[in-house]
Amino acid sequence: MLSIETNRLNFRQWSEPDFNQFADFFSTEANARHVGGVKTKEEAWRLMATYIGHYELKGYSYAAVEEKETRNLIGTVGLWKSEAWPEIELGYWILPEKQGKGYALEAAVAVKDFAFKHLKLETLVSYIDPSNIPSINLAKRLGGKFDKKIELLGFGEHSIYRYAPA
């Protein structure tokens, strides 16, 4: 999955120089409320390490995504399936200063294609807080169809948007 690239973006593994932007993102409620909540610097460090470990265990994860031209981090888009997680999820968060440029859609299309073509998945989901309208709109643009609402582990009520292979 780390070999994915699009016209404007490269996917890669997280590295220590990414940490300050990663921790800053998770330090504010406005950014973090829909992706697990605010984290201390130590919690952010552990979360970034978890993304790396998930890749080592599964061969996919929430990858660092950067602009090809500048090599600047834009956020993360990827796949997640920890032991207790119900299904493989397509998830994403984009740094506030990089939002509104179409990066999330561009990267999520590439990850969705990877999931269906390389992992041979029959279905893929996004778990979205019902109040997260931008994420719901992105899921719909990706072809996601509302499936149902569930209580997602300790994260509260989430809507499931389900994707099918093209």
Side-chain angles (χ1 to χ4, degrees), residues 45-99:
W45 179 264
R46 290 174 184 266
L47 181 60
M48 191 170 83
T50 300
Y51 287 1
I52 295 166
H54 189 281
Y55 182 83
E56 293 301 316
L57 292 168
K58 297 281 194 175
Y60 56 83
S61 186
Y62 295 138
V65 181
E66 66 184 14
E67 296 168 319
K68 275 185 181 178
E69 189 174 307
T70 65
R71 301 194 60 119
N72 290 332
L73 182 69
I74 64 123
T76 189
V77 180
L79 301 171
W80 187 262
K81 176 61 176 94
S82 60
E83 196 60 31
W85 215 241
E87 296 181 64
I88 296 179
E89 178 185 22
L90 168 60
Y92 36 80
W93 56 259
I94 305 297
L95 296 169
E97 64 272 18
K98 300 296 182 179
Q99 294 175 9

Side-chain angles (χ1 to χ4, degrees), residues 103-151:
Y103 289 150
L105 179 62
E106 183 176 331
V109 165
V111 169
K112 186 177 128 187
D113 288 347
F114 172 87
F116 290 124
K117 290 177 184 170
H118 297 284
L119 299 180
K120 308 289 187 211
L121 298 182
E122 294 181 15
T123 188
L124 181 65
V125 300
S126 289
Y127 299 109
I128 304 172
D129 181 310
S131 69
N132 189 349
I133 302 306
S135 195
I136 290 169
N137 289 339
L138 178 58
K140 289 177 179 178
R141 288 182 71 194
L142 290 166
K145 305 286 186 220
F146 175 79
D147 187 0
K148 62 184 174 182
K149 290 187 179 181
I150 64 166
E151 285 296 319

Side-chain angles (χ1 to χ4, degrees), residues 154-166:
F155 297 101
E157 183 180 74
H158 278 66
S159 297
I160 298 175
Y161 282 82
R162 188 168 301 281
Y163 310 100

